[in-house]
Amino acid sequence: MILDVDPPKLVNLTILGSLIFDERRPSTKLEAERIWVRSGKLLAGNSTNPFPGKINIVLNGEFGDNPLVIDANLDVGNKVLAVTRAMELYSTPPGTIWTRLAAYADAGATSVTVAECAGWAVGDEIVFGPSGSDPE
């Protein structure tokens, strides 16, 4: 099955066949509380033809929500993407995939300066992690 739309927010998505992100879409959003690639495949691009667009997989849920139950002895929680068969997501990474801040950034800052950003484009998203063992 080709995923050629942004589906509505889902509670559970269990993939038994192949779910393939449509390469003609510049951006696709897949949003669910629990995604289980059970006996199928979740695919985007391949090793010789990387996916040209953007895929945004969003996992929703709150503490105490029903978990994804794999079998009677194993639940893997909520807000989960579980793969028990195959997931292949290929993309062309930007030139810079990891960098450091080039200047101190105050909490709430609306801009930052980084040491390197080769291949980044307007609209790209970045993630900040703690610089030590205590994120507080």
Side-chain angles (χ1 to χ4, degrees), residues 24-25 32 34 37-38 43 46 49 52 63 68 77 85 96-97 106-107 112 116-117 122-123 125 131 133:
R24 297 170 296 177
R25 291 177 52 89
R34 293 170 289 281
V37 185
R38 186 174 180 174
L43 306 169
N46 59 53
N49 185 28
F63 180 78
L68 172 64
R85 172 91 193 280
T96 302
I97 58 170
D106 289 317
V112 296
E116 297 178 52
C117 60
V122 173
E125 296 180 25
S131 58
S133 60

Side-chain angles (χ1 to χ4, degrees), residues 59-128:
L59 300 172
N60 298 301
E62 301 293 332
F63 180 78
D65 284 353
N66 292 330
L68 172 64
V69 177
I70 301 292
D71 66 30
N73 299 313
L74 178 64
D75 75 62
V76 292
N78 60 10
K79 289 178 70 167
V80 65
L81 170 58
V83 180
T84 53
R85 172 91 193 280
M87 181 171 73
E88 299 177 17
L89 305 177
Y90 293 88
S91 179
T92 303
T96 302
I97 58 170
W98 185 92
T99 189
R100 292 186 179 273
L101 290 176
Y104 184 82
D106 289 317
T110 58
S111 66
V112 296
T113 303
V114 295
E116 297 178 52
C117 60
W120 292 8
V122 173
D124 284 352
E125 296 180 25
I126 59 175
V127 175
F128 293 93

